[in-house]
Amino acid sequence: MLRLATTLLLAITSALGANNELTPEEQKNGWKLLFDGRSTTGWRGFKKQSMPEKGWIVNEGELQLEAGSKAGDIVTKEKFSDFELSWEWKVPDGANNGIKYFILEERGEAIGHEYQMIDLKDGQKISPKHKTASFYDVLPPTTEPPQKGPGEWNHSRVIVQANHVEHWLNGTKVLEYELGSEAVLKAVQNSKFKSVQGFGKKQNGHILLTYHNDPVSYRNIKIRPFSTATARDSRLTQ
């Protein structure tokens, strides 16, 4: 009985330890952690030199945003143009948050391409362009997002290869688009970003975690930057 209990404890500890770690295969393929499960190293406040003093906390291997904290958005210290970004997230009932990419701080405001993350309240109606995994306010998912319920972990990916972008949710590709294409630029003109210079085109920018009044939890945030040559290899999305 003692041996069985010890085996189960080791299995549970091993499973928990798998979060916020890279496998040898991931390391070989160029992945890097954006969150190590212990600190906010590699992040800072938008247009700040350090992290906000309150609101963003590390708790039990999760990066959490406290509700109503007025913490502000946070960005990666590094910039990325071609990459595969992967993360897990969960929000409570009715909560709304997002991850943005192509963030340029010279714009003054935290404007970028946003992967929307929202849990709808019962009966709530929103624009398809505001659904989870949409290119927020620009393009809706073309496949119904297989989102899990409030408080459950979802797995998301954003892939940028040259001008090709994909949004994935829980193993399903739900949206793809071409940066700078006629279709995207037309959609931008029909959005709240129509006056933002360069919006809808390729940028070298920061990754940003948005601040809303709602709480959100993250883990296993990691990125695989692509070289220019690698970014044109469509096999990476398979």
Side-chain angles (χ1 to χ4, degrees):
M1 182 65 71
L2 179 60
R3 180 178 297 177
L4 176 59
T6 302
T7 301
L8 288 173
L9 178 60
L10 288 173
I12 293 171
T13 302
S14 176
L16 292 174
N19 286 325
N20 308 307
E21 295 181 4
L22 296 177
T23 67
E25 187 68 17
E26 287 175 324
Q27 295 178 40
K28 179 181 177 181
N29 290 332
W31 286 93
K32 57 190 296 185
L33 288 175
L34 291 180
F35 173 59
D36 62 12
R38 302 180 299 277
S39 71
T40 55
T41 299
W43 296 86
R44 59 176 174 79
F46 176 70
K47 298 180 74 68
K48 306 289 184 181
Q49 296 301 312
S50 59
M51 282 288 294
E53 295 182 358
K54 60 181 181 180
W56 291 98
I57 63 171
V58 177
N59 180 36
E60 297 184 345
E62 300 175 15
L63 178 58
Q64 299 175 345
L65 174 61
E66 296 180 307
S69 60
K70 303 187 185 301
D73 303 321
I74 60 173
V75 297
T76 55
K77 292 181 178 179
E78 290 187 67
K79 293 181 179 181
F80 305 94
S81 58
D82 292 280
F83 57 86
E84 179 175 0
L85 175 67
S86 173
W87 72 99
E88 292 180 66
W89 58 277
K90 63 179 179 179
V91 292
D93 184 35
N96 173 25
N97 261 290
I99 280 190
K100 298 181 182 181
Y101 48 103
F102 300 156
I103 291 294
L104 307 177
E105 289 182 300
E106 53 266 34
R107 282 178 172 159
E109 297 182 25
I111 296 174
H113 293 205
E114 181 175 355
Y115 181 112
Q116 170 79 318
M117 303 183 304
I118 187 169
D119 181 83
L120 298 181
K121 298 177 181 178
D122 289 342
Q124 182 180 357
K125 302 293 184 181
I126 60 172
S127 163
K129 294 188 292 185
H130 294 173
K131 282 186 173 183
T132 289
S134 64
F135 172 7
Y136 176 75
D137 207 54
V138 179
L139 295 172
T142 54
T143 299
E144 186 63 26
Q147 184 171 348
K148 296 183 180 179
E152 296 186 69
W153 286 105
N154 292 276
H155 176 223
S156 293
R157 295 164 65 208
V158 169
I159 301 171
V160 181
Q161 298 175 296
N163 286 324
H164 185 72
V165 180
E166 298 179 1
H167 286 190
W168 291 67
L169 178 64
N170 295 324
T172 299
K173 181 169 63 176
V174 297
L175 174 63
E176 57 184 328
Y177 65 91
E178 302 297 321
L179 293 163
S181 66
E182 182 179 352
V184 166
L185 296 182
K186 181 178 180 180
V188 168
Q189 287 304 304
N190 291 324
S191 76
K192 63 177 67 175
F193 308 110
K194 60 183 179 181
S195 61
V196 180
Q197 185 176 5
F199 196 88
K201 297 181 180 180
K202 185 69 167 287
Q203 306 290 345
N204 182 36
H206 303 277
I207 307 296
L208 179 144
L209 305 186
T210 65
Y211 168 77
H212 287 288
N213 287 322
D214 300 328
V216 61
S217 296
Y218 296 96
R219 69 184 184 190
N220 296 323
I221 312 173
K222 54 192 174 185
I223 197 164
R224 174 168 58 154
F226 297 147
S227 66
T228 301
T230 304
R232 290 179 170 82
D233 185 355
S234 62
R235 291 173 298 175
L236 287 167
T237 64
Q238 302 304 311

